[in-house]
Amino acid sequence: QVQLVESGGGLVSAGASLRLSCAASGRTFSNSAMGWFRQAPGKEREFVAGILWSGGSTDYADSVKGRFTISKDNGKNTVYLQMNSLKPEDTAVYYCAVCEVTYIVPRTPSGYGYWGQGTQVTVSS
């Protein structure tokens, strides 16, 4: 059984940075994609960034491109989301997720089979 545990959320001012972590356990992820999604109150869950475990190819939503960076540490089975120049509109619960077998990064929630519990990110203006 795959388990994902996010950490690193918090309350920051606009322009600040945060780094989210997602520690994965329960299986190997060599052919998987790891994704970060976010969901603000009253809105649908949206894709933020994703990375292929093998090869490290990445994909980003246009709204975060140039500000957020996704990376991974194979030895720790951990994926990170470095968030810089945060804006109030980045406020949401952030979730990490795993797509078990894929060669591309899925951009829809239905493409992922396992989810973490989420971590709150609040950016004040």
Side-chain angles (χ1 to χ4, degrees):
Q1 184 73 5
V2 174
Q3 288 189 320
L4 304 173
V5 179
E6 301 107 332
S7 61
L11 170 63
V12 297
S13 299
S17 298
L18 278 175
R19 189 178 80 156
L20 305 183
S21 300
C22 175
S25 62
R27 55 150 290 169
T28 59
F29 301 96
S30 56
N31 295 316
S32 301
M34 304 288 289
W36 284 99
F37 287 75
R38 65 187 181 187
Q39 189 165 19
K43 295 189 176 181
E44 294 186 352
R45 192 167 295 190
E46 66 172 357
F47 174 78
V48 175
I51 188 167
L52 292 181
W53 204 263
S54 177
S57 295
T58 59
D59 190 19
Y60 296 92
D62 288 344
S63 59
V64 306
K65 203 171 291 184
R67 299 189 298 124
F68 291 11
T69 302
I70 189 170
S71 62
K72 61 182 175 70
D73 184 327
N74 287 14
K76 295 182 179 180
N77 265 9
T78 299
V79 174
Y80 304 98
L81 185 67
Q82 178 67 43
M83 305 186 295
N84 298 331
S85 303
L86 282 162
K87 305 175 181 180
E89 51 263 45
D90 294 318
T91 295
V93 177
Y94 283 71
Y95 299 89
C96 68
V98 171
C99 173
E100 287 190 272
V101 181
T102 182
Y103 296 99
I104 62 170
V105 174
R107 284 181 153 238
T108 60
S110 61
Y112 294 80
Y114 296 94
W115 293 82
Q117 81 286 354
T119 185
Q120 176 71 46
V121 172
T122 303
V123 184
S124 64
S125 57

